[in-house]
Amino acid sequence: MIDLLEEQEQKEELVSMALPDKNELKMKKIVDYDGPFKKGDDKWKGSMWNVQVEWEDGSKSWEPLEIVAKEDAVMCASYARDNDLLYKTGWRFLRRMAKMLRQVTLA
């Protein structure tokens, strides 16, 4: 139980420190993804998956999916849908958003 609490606290700390040097910039789009990762992997950033974000200034960086999804769930759900990721572990939490997007575009 303590390990789960510590892990949750670490995730919350990551979210609060999320993208510190990019705070003024807006995400333009997701251009790639990498993973799945496990805790202890070199590319582990607190999330099973990382996404490569292109920023409005044209720069790119790898960020944890969970943090990017908190910033822009619509962009993440759209990317997941377009790349057949909605049924993969670690992306499933975006299915509801993708379904809502589909309903909006059909209306």
Side-chain angles (χ1 to χ4, degrees):
M1 184 71 169
I2 292 174
D3 288 337
L4 290 174
L5 289 173
E6 287 177 11
E7 187 172 328
Q8 183 62 31
E9 287 174 2
Q10 288 174 349
K11 282 185 179 183
E12 288 173 6
E13 184 177 330
L14 278 173
V15 169
S16 69
M17 298 181 337
L19 322 171
D21 58 336
K22 302 286 186 179
N23 275 338
E24 296 85 35
L25 296 176
K26 292 185 180 180
M27 293 181 282
K28 186 176 175 182
K29 63 182 176 178
I30 297 172
V31 294
D32 202 2
Y33 69 96
D34 197 13
F37 303 113
K38 294 181 279 188
K39 199 172 192 176
D41 288 346
D42 290 342
K43 294 182 179 181
W44 172 264
K45 292 185 170 196
S47 180
M48 187 180 226
W49 298 88
N50 295 330
V51 291
Q52 189 176 34
V53 175
E54 182 178 329
W55 300 91
E56 64 185 352
D57 70 351
S59 65
K60 296 177 184 172
S61 64
W62 287 97
E63 308 296 342
L65 173 62
E66 290 180 11
I67 290 175
V68 174
K70 286 182 189 241
E71 294 292 319
D72 194 338
V74 171
M75 180 172 57
C76 290
S78 180
Y79 182 84
R81 181 194 61 216
D82 294 346
N83 291 278
D84 297 320
L85 298 169
L86 291 172
Y87 291 93
K88 287 189 180 256
T89 301
W91 292 85
R92 291 183 182 138
F93 71 99
L94 295 165
R95 285 192 297 191
R96 175 177 275 161
M97 178 64 69
K99 184 178 180 180
M100 289 184 344
L101 285 172
R102 196 175 111 232
Q103 290 172 345
V104 168
T105 57
L106 292 175

